[in-house]
Amino acid sequence: MNANTTLRLPKIIGHRAAGAYAPENTVAALKTANNLKAKWIEFDVMLTQDHIPIVFHDDTLARTTNGTGLVAHTQYQDLCSLDAGSWFSPKFVDEKIPTLVDYLRLASDYHLGINLEIKPSLGKEIETAEKVVERLHQHWPMQDGSLLISSFSIPALQRVRELDKRVPLGLLLEKLDAVDWQTITHQLSCYSLNIHHTLLTTEIIKAIKCKVDYLLAFTVNDKDRAFTLFEMGVDSIFSDHPDLLLHCPMHAPYH
Ligand code: G3P
Ligand code: MG
């Protein structure tokens, strides 16, 4: 069903690394996730105007930095000086926007698995996918089961699949009827469907698990909800609290 069956996903993946505890998608968030004993983290990647892949969620700078304007219209050099931490707490005043390579190096040092979400600016889907694959091939062990690439953008996922026949892919969905997910996951040999947790019912979960190996749900910050989802058949959840299940006796870190 999928292109690579060696992937070992944990039950919980740190969303935007550890978005509840540190400014999302920063080095501080990655370090926090590691300190909280996360096995895997999720983060978002887009391109600067001069085509540098950075770890960042929004199209615009205003919410999570002291800058303004579109990321896609800003040179990397101009992003480097921005404060990407104070919006969260003054103690993170020194946080900068990391490059994808910064994140890959650090995640590798900590032996973290990664779910790299390609979050392209409009019109940059193909180019973002190409830069991501290029950087991964240079800086990440592609075949050791520690990588899942996901996106809401089908063109981005298609381009990744053209460039790498084996890398595990996950299709992201915010609405079930947004796309023909059955056909797309089949055509792209997707490993997982990553879906908003409020859309899930037992029937829908059953239908999804007939088509893909793994079902991941975002974003779940409530422990009881997490266990309900696992009982319903969800394999892994994304949480801003990578330690959400840390002290639960029945929690095994991997499937
Ligand atoms: O990959 C799961 C989740 O991160 C998708 O939504 O907007 O938080 O990137 P978003
Ligand atoms: Mg994301």
Side-chain angles (χ1 to χ4, degrees):
M1 193 179 293
N2 60 68
N4 180 337
T5 50
T6 61
L7 193 56
R8 268 192 359 143
L9 282 170
K11 284 212 181 307
I12 187 154
I13 298 171
H15 183 240
R16 305 183 195 175
Y21 298 108
E24 62 187 52
N25 289 331
T26 61
V27 165
L30 191 156
K31 288 182 175 174
T32 303
N34 183 57
N35 290 339
L36 294 172
K37 312 253 184 287
K39 301 285 180 211
W40 275 55
I41 55 166
E42 182 266 1
F43 55 89
D44 310 286
V45 176
M46 64 179 65
L47 296 184
T48 63
Q49 187 176 38
D50 45 346
H51 322 292
I52 308 291
I54 57 164
V55 180
F56 203 78
H57 181 273
D58 295 2
D59 281 332
T60 53
L61 292 162
R63 183 177 64 89
T64 59
T65 76
N66 60 345
T68 54
L70 290 167
V71 173
H73 290 176
T74 310
Q75 297 275 320
Y76 174 67
Q77 202 56 41
D78 296 323
L79 290 175
C80 288
S81 56
L82 296 180
D83 166 1
S86 290
W87 69 275
F88 188 87
S89 155
K91 73 176 181 191
F92 292 107
V93 65
D94 294 327
E95 287 306 310
K96 304 294 178 202
I97 300 172
T99 64
L100 172 57
V101 173
D102 293 335
Y103 243 51
L104 296 180
R105 289 202 173 116
L106 206 53
S108 169
D109 287 349
Y110 290 150
H111 305 290
L112 290 169
I114 57 169
N115 174 197
L116 189 164
E117 181 186 340
I118 301 178
K119 190 78 106 183
S121 311
L122 203 59
K124 301 285 178 190
E125 294 81 2
I126 304 301
E127 192 186 353
T128 309
E130 289 172 351
K131 291 287 178 196
V132 161
V133 171
E134 183 188 290
R135 294 296 197 277
L136 285 168
H137 284 173
Q138 288 165 347
H139 296 279
W140 197 260
M142 299 298 286
Q143 305 303 337
D144 75 347
S146 62
L147 167 68
L148 174 69
I149 298 178
S150 62
S151 191
F152 291 105
S153 164
I154 292 157
L157 290 177
Q158 282 167 335
R159 188 65 187 130
V160 173
R161 180 55 78 228
E162 283 167 12
L163 294 167
D164 191 315
K165 298 281 174 267
R166 298 180 62 189
V167 68
L169 293 181
L171 174 65
L172 270 161
L173 280 186
E174 203 114 38
K175 288 184 192 159
L176 264 174
D177 57 359
V179 295
D180 178 1
W181 62 266
Q182 292 94 333
T183 303
I184 292 161
T185 52
H186 177 71
Q187 282 173 349
L188 297 177
S189 301
C190 283
Y191 188 90
S192 70
L193 199 65
N194 306 1
I195 192 165
H196 198 282
H197 76 96
T198 55
L199 301 177
L200 293 170
T201 63
T202 310
E203 290 70 40
I204 288 168
I205 290 173
K206 212 184 281 176
I208 292 172
K209 296 294 288 279
C210 289
K211 297 287 181 187
V212 293
D213 287 353
Y214 279 82
L215 170 58
L216 282 58
F218 62 90
T219 299
V220 182
N221 290 325
D222 179 83
K223 199 188 293 183
D224 292 338
R225 179 63 179 155
F227 279 112
T228 302
L229 289 166
F230 292 142
E231 275 166 23
M232 288 165 73
V234 168
D235 296 296
S236 303
I237 58 158
F238 298 93
S239 181
D240 297 312
H241 301 256
D243 58 343
L244 191 68
L245 309 177
L246 197 59
H247 302 297
C248 297
M250 65 288 255
H251 169 56
Y254 289 102
H255 294 289

